[in-house]
Amino acid sequence: MKQLVKGVVLAAIFMTISLAERTCLATGKNHANLSLKDPQYTNDGGSVTVEYTSDNALKVDFNTKEEEEGYYTFSLYASNKINMNNKSVISFHMSTDTELLLNLQLMTNKWDTLKCQEGASIYIKQDKSKTYELLTVSEGVVKIEKGFKGTIYVPIASITTNEQAASINKFGISITQSEEQKSSFVLDNVYALETRELDQEGIKNTYQVVGNLTPLLPACGEYLYEYQVVDLAQEEHSIPFQFALANSPEGVNVSKNGTIMFFDMATTEPVKLLVTVDKDFSFYYTIYPEESWYVQQSDEASKNFIVPSPDVVANYSLASVSTASVASVDYVIRFLLVGAACSYLMFYYIKIRKR
């Protein structure tokens, strides 16, 4: 009976914490609540459906299944103006049944659009997780995996400077997808937060993991890759960090200083790293190993540039060479020697006659 009561209490505590994580900011006095009432949106192709759910969250469907080959973008803006003074992070809660290619957009009072630039940092945290994950903007977007349900945090420093932030007055997001796709997601709880409202102050920083996102696996032996953490806003600042493996992929080792070793038994399973910065802020960072160039080659045109393995090389020996072949080679050699001797005598004879 005591165990049952204990289990009920623990479950109640977990539910309370999970609910508080999404609602505690709503009772704060120092954050800006970015209303999603009557949003504005645009799209350069495909069809869009925007509607409210029963709890006033915003549900969006973006469909490009009837479009020609290419990429299409949907952008949504909150209707109300915001004051970004002293705000360090934009946060919003999102759930999605499909993979999303996403970027944050902020509109200035002069109608200039700002967004996260290449290499910028975005943090995400699943509702059931206590650890953040660092995503890096690549080719203009970050990838939100299918089935994600949690909060996305975007440091203002990843978009603009503090001086420019004062001119921002609208929040928005953009979704990019190719033809023949459909994206579906729910958006709610959008806030502009001050540093003191963050449970981890490190979220306001534009940390970036520098290293190969797609390291190649060795065909034999081992490969070493070096990784480190920098702050894009203060590149000259030395940041103390430690690395560890968050999952257990076969054939992979990592040192605290960011040296990752791949052995030849390693697979292309994603490697999730736990990175601790300044001893108190931790986040996940994922790298995606790929097969080496040698292993990937299957094109007939490339085979002559690949060193064959010993078991496919033909074995030749003197016993496999016929006597006729040996005799033929010996005859050619003798003929060349005789020809060279005759040429030398002829040259010497002509030289004597000239005297």
Side-chain angles (χ1 to χ4, degrees):
M1 186 63 179
K2 290 182 178 180
Q3 294 295 328
L4 178 60
V5 173
K6 184 178 180 181
V8 172
V9 171
L10 290 174
I13 292 174
F14 176 80
M15 292 177 64
T16 302
I17 293 174
S18 179
L19 180 63
E21 185 174 322
R22 293 183 55 183
T23 61
C24 67
L25 294 175
T27 61
K29 297 180 180 179
N30 300 314
H31 67 274
N33 184 0
L34 311 186
S35 172
L36 293 174
K37 184 179 180 181
D38 300 324
Q40 303 168 354
Y41 62 88
T42 61
N43 56 295
D44 58 8
S47 60
V48 176
T49 302
V50 179
E51 59 186 10
Y52 291 97
T53 64
S54 58
D55 56 355
N56 291 321
L58 202 62
K59 185 178 187 302
V60 178
D61 291 316
F62 181 30
N63 191 336
T64 56
K65 287 189 176 294
E66 302 300 325
E67 295 295 335
E68 297 179 355
E69 183 178 357
Y71 284 91
Y72 302 88
T73 301
F74 159 78
S75 298
L76 179 146
Y77 292 93
S79 59
N80 64 318
K81 294 183 178 180
I82 61 174
N83 182 354
M84 288 303 300
N85 288 332
N86 301 321
K87 303 298 188 291
S88 62
V89 171
I90 293 284
S91 76
F92 53 95
H93 189 269
M94 173 178 280
S95 59
T96 176
D97 296 328
T98 56
E99 178 184 282
L100 296 179
L101 300 179
L102 176 146
N103 201 331
L104 185 81
Q105 292 185 328
L106 297 178
M107 187 79 73
T108 71
N109 51 23
K110 295 182 179 180
W111 302 102
D112 296 323
T113 301
L114 307 175
K115 62 181 181 178
C116 297
Q117 300 302 312
E118 203 71 9
S121 305
I122 290 180
Y123 300 93
I124 66 174
K125 183 157 74 71
Q126 295 270 9
D127 283 346
K128 297 181 180 180
S129 175
K130 295 182 179 180
T131 305
Y132 297 87
E133 183 169 357
L134 174 64
L135 304 180
T136 301
V137 175
S138 176
E139 298 183 356
V141 295
V142 293
K143 182 188 295 185
I144 306 298
E145 298 291 348
K146 176 181 178 181
F148 173 79
K149 184 177 183 181
T151 304
I152 298 175
Y153 300 85
V154 184
I156 296 303
S158 290
I159 305 173
T160 184
T161 63
N162 290 333
E163 293 75 16
Q164 293 173 320
S167 66
I168 294 171
N169 65 2
K170 281 187 180 294
F171 155 85
I173 64 170
S174 64
I175 303 295
T176 301
Q177 67 187 39
S178 61
E179 79 288 350
E180 296 296 323
Q181 287 188 319
K182 181 178 180 180
S183 297
S184 179
F185 62 93
V186 176
L187 184 69
D188 63 349
N189 290 351
V190 184
Y191 300 104
L193 306 175
E194 295 182 5
T195 300
R196 59 183 171 177
E197 296 175 300
L198 302 172
D199 61 346
Q200 290 283 353
E201 188 175 334
I203 302 172
K204 71 175 184 179
N205 297 312
T206 56
Y207 293 132
Q208 185 181 39
V209 178
V210 179
N212 196 327
L213 184 61
T214 55
L216 294 180
L217 300 176
C220 60
E222 63 275 343
Y223 286 168
L224 292 177
Y225 294 89
E226 301 290 339
Y227 294 80
Q228 60 178 322
V229 180
V230 299
D231 187 341
L232 294 182
Q234 304 180 54
E235 294 184 10
E236 72 284 353
H237 175 57
S238 179
I239 302 172
F241 61 84
Q242 287 188 350
F243 279 73
L245 284 175
N247 59 346
S248 302
E250 183 181 9
V252 182
N253 283 339
V254 60
S255 68
K256 290 183 178 181
N257 66 0
T259 300
I260 300 179
M261 179 178 290
F262 290 92
F263 298 94
D264 50 18
M265 75 282 291
T267 67
T268 54
E269 175 189 355
V271 177
K272 181 174 284 191
L273 304 168
L274 179 63
V275 185
T276 302
V277 181
D278 291 330
K279 297 183 180 180
D280 60 356
F281 178 51
S282 296
F283 55 82
Y284 293 127
Y285 183 78
T286 305
I287 58 177
Y288 302 88
E290 294 182 351
E291 296 286 1
S292 67
W293 180 87
Y294 172 85
V295 174
Q296 292 179 35
Q297 300 311 304
S298 59
D299 190 351
E300 183 72 14
S302 303
K303 70 178 184 179
N304 292 332
F305 298 95
I306 301 175
V307 178
S309 57
D311 58 311
V312 299
V313 178
N315 184 22
Y316 292 98
S317 65
L318 289 178
S320 64
V321 182
S322 65
T323 305
S325 299
V326 174
S328 177
V329 172
D330 184 60
Y331 174 80
V332 171
I333 293 174
R334 289 181 181 181
F335 179 79
L336 292 174
L337 290 174
V338 171
C342 293
S343 298
Y344 175 77
L345 291 175
M346 183 66 68
F347 171 78
Y348 185 73
Y349 174 74
I350 295 173
K351 187 175 182 181
I352 291 177
R353 288 189 62 182
K354 285 182 178 182
R355 289 179 180 177

